[in-house]
Amino acid sequence: MRAAIDDLDELFLLCDADDRVILFNRRWEAAAPGATAVGQPFEDFLRKRVAGGHVPEAAGREQAWIEGRLAVRRAGNIVIERQIGDRWFLLKDHAVAGGGIATVGIEITERKRAEVAARENEARFRAFAETGSDWIWETDANDRYTWFGGAIERQVGRPASHYLGRTRGEVAAAAGMDLNAEPWKSHREAIARREPFRDMLQKRVTVNGVVWLNMSGVPRFDTAGNFLGYRAAVTNITALVQSEQRAQASNRLLSAAIENLNESIAVVDADDRIVVANRYFRELNGGTRLVEPGHLYEEHLRAGIPLGNYPEAAGREEEWLKERLERRRRGGTIEVRRQDGKWLLVTDQRLPDGGMISFALDITERKKAEEALKQSEARFRSLADLSSDWYWEQDAELRFISTSGQESGRGGITADDHTGKRRWELPGTEIESQSWDEHRAMLAARQPFRDLLLKRTAANGVIHYVSVAGEPMFHAQGAFSGYRGTARDVTERIAAEQLARAADERLRAAVENLGEMICLTDAEDRIVLANRLFL
């Protein structure tokens, strides 16, 4: 039995009624080398870990932390998370017969990484929504607005709460649009067919005046294919439209400890007969006495098939049993979904005496975290592809580490041209809206910025104008970690504005040099233009 525990892939420590160490396995020693010895009080182990700086949250309150940890330990059956080196473990103290305590540590590093990745991805999504000139909305299956993100209030002068709960048709009708006329007629037909739509142009009269909006969206479905609503990105293109208009553009203790663990453990001998099967193993595989010690492991598997314990075996029972036993003989780890919806990480590990230990870890929460991460990533990719911006991130040295989005190659240079460079090191890039020194001063002060206008001359000589917005990023401890934000190619808008200014200057020059007196007044009869001859 000791050999079986020593070969576990989980941390294991057993203490007697006086909370002194009786035994610990190799995995425990590897996680905390030199900190544990047989006969040592558990409190001494804690002091060594704290003194070695391995418990960051105890800094400055070492004794209070140790007393709190001991109190949790005495309470028993309380699960805590602990980082040991670069790995995370889920620790649980179990009271065992005789007054002893068994501490089991299950590695949850992948789950923690999935949680961190999900948080970082959500932070990227929020930054993308808030720093860009777009905004994003979602509707339910009845076409009612359920969520907004981004610059809607800044762009159209009304908060998201003004629209939430209302249908898109109600909002459009209230804005004076005829839903039976184009483009709404075709748009509603496309929505009824659950088709994506792109570049739907709308003119809106808002509290900020007339705005022009460009909208692209995709339908959303759940895993069963049921329609959930739409998700869309909206860009305020008023400036572009207006420019185009102007310019047209122990064995007993051990057994007791194992029995009361909330993880499934079964140990078999060299003949593959069950010698240890703890409570949780029996509960998971209930409905048959063949899970009890003395029975062949194959008997317990075979008996569980008609009980529905192994949903993946349905319709191919003998083939599944053969595959499962072969995989078990090879050893290794597999993920199994139970009939009750639980996910288990099942490990079959050969023991030195020829037997085998099977350990099943409940990874249901980790699977949920992975699914949440997949959905979050899909949401971010969908919005990045819909947006006319592209998204970028820089490290603490202000060097580009990533760019993404449908337009990441626009602006005269490619995504690869950015990697490893600072903004002022990008090829053919000049700053227009301020000086580089002023921009670097803002970055040194960790300030957000908007509407930074860059002029880029591509390798082929074509000039592009790019508008950039960004915000600083900080670690959970408050340390600066870089910048992230959005960028947009505004070459068309700048060209249209330049054409409009040129046309205005030509008109004024023509009026100035006419051989007749010219005077122009506004609605209040104030002179706004008078040529030389009139003066």
Side-chain angles (χ1 to χ4, degrees):
M1 184 60 63
R2 290 175 182 269
I5 293 302
D6 207 32
D7 287 328
L8 278 175
D9 285 334
E10 289 67 42
L11 308 184
F12 188 84
L13 175 77
L14 184 62
C15 293
D16 60 16
D18 295 324
D19 211 17
R20 290 182 178 273
V21 176
I22 295 176
L23 62 87
F24 52 92
N25 67 354
R26 287 181 297 188
R27 198 62 197 283
W28 182 281
E29 173 63 20
T36 316
V38 173
Q40 168 193 27
F42 185 77
E43 183 174 352
D44 288 353
F45 163 76
L46 295 179
R47 292 190 184 282
K48 286 183 180 180
R49 296 297 290 169
V50 170
H54 302 295
V55 188
E57 65 267 33
R61 51 183 296 273
E62 290 79 0
Q63 184 58 34
W65 183 89
I66 290 172
E67 292 175 358
R69 176 67 183 93
L70 290 173
V72 169
R73 181 172 172 79
R74 286 189 292 270
N77 291 325
I78 297 178
V79 178
I80 61 174
E81 292 183 355
R82 177 74 63 241
Q83 185 174 11
I84 303 177
D86 61 350
R87 301 184 138 187
W88 282 87
F89 290 88
L90 201 64
L91 298 179
K92 188 170 184 180
D93 302 311
H94 301 271
V96 298
I101 298 177
T103 301
V104 178
I106 301 169
E107 185 167 354
I108 57 170
T109 304
E110 293 304 317
R111 193 196 81 190
K112 294 296 289 187
R113 287 174 181 167
E115 291 173 355
V116 170
R119 287 195 297 269
E120 290 178 349
N121 202 57
E122 189 64 24
R124 289 191 184 97
F125 168 70
R126 287 196 299 270
F128 179 82
E130 297 301 330
T131 63
S133 57
D134 290 1
W135 68 92
I136 303 101
W137 53 253
E138 288 185 358
T139 58
D140 61 16
N142 296 318
D143 209 30
R144 295 186 182 277
Y145 288 113
T146 58
W147 177 82
F148 284 88
I152 179 170
E153 184 170 4
R154 187 171 69 248
Q155 295 290 348
V156 301
R158 290 188 183 276
S161 58
H162 177 76
Y163 301 100
L164 290 175
R166 301 169 65 186
T167 68
R168 294 179 58 235
E170 290 170 350
V171 172
M177 297 183 186
D178 185 352
L179 303 187
N180 296 314
E182 297 295 346
W184 268 95
K185 181 177 181 293
S186 297
H187 177 65
R188 291 172 63 196
E189 292 171 352
I191 295 298
R193 295 190 298 268
R194 311 304 188 218
E195 296 176 351
F197 60 90
R198 181 170 287 277
D199 298 328
M200 180 182 177
L201 188 65
Q202 295 185 23
K203 178 183 178 181
R204 290 279 184 90
V205 179
T206 73
V207 294
N208 291 337
V210 175
V211 297
W212 288 89
L213 307 177
N214 185 286
M215 186 183 313
S216 297
V218 292
R220 298 182 296 119
F221 301 92
D222 62 18
T223 55
N226 299 311
F227 175 64
L228 300 178
Y230 268 80
R231 177 183 300 132
V234 184
T235 302
N236 185 334
I237 58 170
T238 305
L240 176 61
V241 171
Q242 290 176 343
S243 295
E244 289 174 346
Q245 289 174 341
R246 290 193 299 268
Q248 296 303 308
S250 144
N251 288 343
R252 183 177 58 80
L253 289 175
L254 193 57
S255 297
I258 292 174
E259 174 68 13
N260 291 286
L261 289 177
N262 286 330
E263 292 76 35
S264 167
I265 291 181
V267 180
V268 300
D269 60 18
D271 296 324
D272 211 29
R273 291 190 179 275
I274 299 172
V275 293
V276 174
N278 74 346
R279 171 186 52 81
Y280 194 45
F281 176 85
R282 298 192 302 272
E283 290 175 357
L284 279 176
N285 301 283
T288 170
R289 293 182 55 82
L290 298 180
V291 297
E292 299 290 344
H295 295 282
L296 289 172
Y297 199 85
E298 179 181 347
E299 293 176 329
H300 120 72
L301 290 175
R302 189 179 293 278
I305 293 175
L307 297 175
N309 290 346
Y310 314 107
E312 68 273 23
R316 52 187 299 270
E317 290 79 3
E318 290 301 321
E319 183 181 359
W320 176 87
L321 185 62
K322 181 180 178 180
E323 292 173 355
R324 178 68 184 94
L325 290 172
E326 177 59 31
R327 186 168 57 239
R328 175 176 165 77
R329 281 189 288 272
R330 293 194 306 266
T333 300
I334 58 171
E335 291 183 355
V336 176
R337 186 172 186 179
R338 303 284 300 186
Q339 74 278 13
D340 56 5
K342 287 184 178 179
W343 280 92
L344 301 177
L345 189 67
V346 179
T347 299
D348 298 314
Q349 189 172 335
R350 186 67 63 185
L351 299 175
D353 64 357
M356 180 168 283
I357 183 168
S358 295
F359 188 94
L361 171 65
D362 189 329
I363 58 169
T364 305
E365 292 305 314
R366 193 196 81 187
K367 297 295 287 186
K368 290 179 180 178
E370 290 173 353
E371 181 62 26
L373 175 61
K374 289 179 183 177
Q375 293 178 0
S376 181
E377 288 176 342
R379 190 184 203 188
F380 177 77
R381 286 195 301 270
S382 172
L383 293 173
D385 288 340
L386 286 170
S387 175
S388 56
D389 291 354
W390 64 92
Y391 182 75
W392 54 266
E393 283 192 14
Q394 297 172 325
D395 60 18
E397 299 298 323
L398 302 179
R399 299 182 187 277
F400 285 99
I401 56 176
S402 70
T403 60
S404 62
Q406 192 177 38
E407 308 297 335
S408 60
R410 290 187 60 185
I413 60 177
T414 67
D416 290 340
D417 292 327
H418 289 75
T419 303
K421 295 184 179 67
R422 298 179 177 90
R423 183 167 283 111
W424 47 88
E425 296 171 346
L426 296 176
T429 300
E430 304 172 44
I431 192 166
E432 292 282 304
S433 55
Q434 58 182 168
S435 70
W436 283 122
D437 288 341
E438 290 171 330
H439 180 60
R440 282 192 285 263
M442 291 183 66
L443 300 180
R446 311 308 184 211
Q447 295 178 353
F449 61 89
R450 291 184 182 278
D451 303 322
L452 175 68
L453 185 61
L454 302 178
K455 178 182 177 182
R456 286 179 177 165
T457 304
N460 60 4
V462 176
I463 293 176
H464 294 261
Y465 288 90
V466 178
S467 179
V468 185
E471 67 173 16
M473 300 184 296
F474 300 92
H475 292 305
Q477 295 78 14
F480 173 69
S481 62
Y483 267 81
R484 63 187 165 202
T486 55
R488 163 171 293 167
D489 190 318
V490 294
T491 305
E492 294 181 10
R493 191 195 77 195
I494 296 298
E497 291 173 350
Q498 290 173 342
L499 286 173
R501 284 196 298 270
D504 184 68
E505 290 171 0
R506 286 195 297 270
L507 176 62
R508 288 179 178 274
V511 170
E512 179 68 15
N513 290 282
L514 282 174
E516 291 79 26
M517 293 186 296
I518 298 293
C519 175
L520 179 64
T521 62
D522 61 16
E524 297 177 353
D525 208 29
R526 295 182 184 275
I527 297 174
V528 295
L529 177 65
N531 71 351
R532 171 182 50 80
L533 191 58
F534 179 88
L535 293 175

